[in-house]
Amino acid sequence: MDAAIYVLNQLTVFPAGYFAMKSSEYLLPIKEGLWRRILLISAYMVIISVVIFIGDRGNLPPATILFMAAVMICYRGSKIQRFTIGLMFCNTMLAFNGFYDNLSSPHWGTRIIIRLIFWAIFYILIKRFAPPKDYELSPVLWRLILFLTALPMGITCALVMIPDPHYTFPYFIVVTSLVCFVICLVAFIGLMWTIIVLAKQQQLEQEVMMGDMNKKYYEAMEQQQFEVRRLRHDLANHLQTLSTLPASERDAYVAELIKSPAMGSTLHYCGDNTVNAVISAKVSLTEQESIGLESEVDIAQELPYDKVDVCALFANALDNAIEACRKLPVGQRWIQLKARAQKGLFAVKIANPIPKDDTQVADSILPGTTKTDKISHGYGLKSIKEIVSRHGGSMEIKTKDGQFQLFLYMPLD
């Protein structure tokens, strides 16, 4: 009977470890590679199955070190993010084991069922209440969460490491320790709540900042278009001025007019004036950078979105494509733009080549900026994604055959 219980106990370690590992993926993405997943599930199984008795100092240190090493190796994210999330899960598993193993009399079969049910429920709750998949927190906030995580982890370690293992603990000491283990378990809920609240707050701050940036971009474009209209309106005055100037000054006056940005024409690509203005402005930039821009825009009338959002979608997408093309030799620079508004759906697809050694781009992941001013830049694709999500649409990023492809669609209101 004991052998059967032992085998059953070992068999439940794998699904429990699997539930714990899958829960962690809602907070930290796992790096590519089967061996990393094997290493992770092994680390989770080890720490879930380790026996934690009050005063038993032999199991906790090696299990913790092994688990945290696997976390740092196998997950993506900043070092402090990986360490903090890893410590949160480590403390939760150790605290549960401490409570689980120090109960006085539950039957082994009951313990096995409790462990499996606990981690299954844990996974369901994490899946239900986890922050958005692409959530971000600043290093300062991660340091704050790490400090808060260290407190329950310190309690767990103190309960296990400080007491004398050769001492028989009174009943009230055991009960007090069990209560402390439960408090350490509940601390995970508080930490998760903190991450969710901070992530939402930072997301709102980024949306406000991106909204301000998009508004300024649109206002700058509007100002440029105003200059175009003003210059054309004043054309008669310029001609009169030219007729009165001596020949030596006339050429300089004409050259100054030609250099004016307002002399550039706004090309008609579609029925939306904002789209026309943005593409016209970017055509001038692509010509300066020797980038071939192939556009196919099928938009019959004004799009039913805020003009700032329309400007931000096209301008940010084209700016990112232009920035990528700058890394390539002149003969290899090109951008393809396709946009369509038909049958209740607005869709945009932009493709451009990428350097072979460009490690900033990965499928379904927003690539990081390559600019030196990382605080002011890197929000282009985030801004696009925020606008698309706000309008009930979707955005996809793919790299295929040396190309970066951005595809988005939104319902026409």
Side-chain angles (χ1 to χ4, degrees), residues 4-133:
I5 292 295
Y6 175 80
V7 172
L8 181 60
N9 179 63
Q10 297 304 310
L11 288 176
T12 59
V13 170
F14 176 79
Y18 178 79
F19 282 131
M21 186 183 75
K22 292 298 291 183
S23 301
S24 70
E25 289 190 63
Y26 289 98
L27 297 173
L28 273 179
I30 300 176
K31 295 179 180 178
E32 298 296 328
L34 179 60
W35 69 270
R36 287 191 175 91
R37 290 189 173 271
I38 294 174
L39 176 59
L40 265 183
I41 190 65
S42 300
Y44 276 100
M45 290 173 63
V46 167
I47 203 165
I48 278 178
S49 61
V50 68
V51 177
I52 301 295
F53 286 123
I54 299 172
D56 186 358
R57 304 166 183 171
N59 292 334
L60 188 144
T64 301
I65 293 172
L66 172 65
F67 178 76
M68 293 303 297
V71 166
M72 300 302 292
I73 293 171
C74 300
Y75 286 103
R76 287 200 301 265
S78 64
K79 291 181 180 179
I80 190 169
Q81 180 183 7
R82 283 177 284 164
F83 190 83
T84 302
I85 298 298
L87 203 63
M88 284 174 55
F89 275 81
C90 182
N91 173 70
T92 303
M93 290 182 285
L94 292 174
F96 176 77
N97 288 356
F99 177 81
Y100 176 94
D101 294 326
N102 287 279
L103 287 174
S104 58
S105 61
H107 189 268
W108 266 103
T110 305
R111 291 187 178 187
I112 293 170
I113 294 172
I114 290 174
R115 178 168 62 188
L116 198 54
I117 291 176
F118 174 83
W119 289 110
I121 294 175
F122 185 87
Y123 167 72
I124 293 171
L125 293 177
I126 291 291
K127 183 179 180 180
R128 171 66 179 82
F129 296 104
K133 188 175 182 180

Side-chain angles (χ1 to χ4, degrees), residues 63 88 131 134 149 160 171 238 252 271 328 368 394:
M88 284 174 55
D134 56 348
T149 305
V160 177
Y171 181 75
H238 288 297
L328 296 166
S394 181

Side-chain angles (χ1 to χ4, degrees), residues 328-340:
L328 296 166
V330 172
Q332 300 177 19
R333 299 177 180 181
W334 56 265
I335 298 173
Q336 290 180 344
L337 166 63
K338 295 182 179 181
R340 179 173 297 180

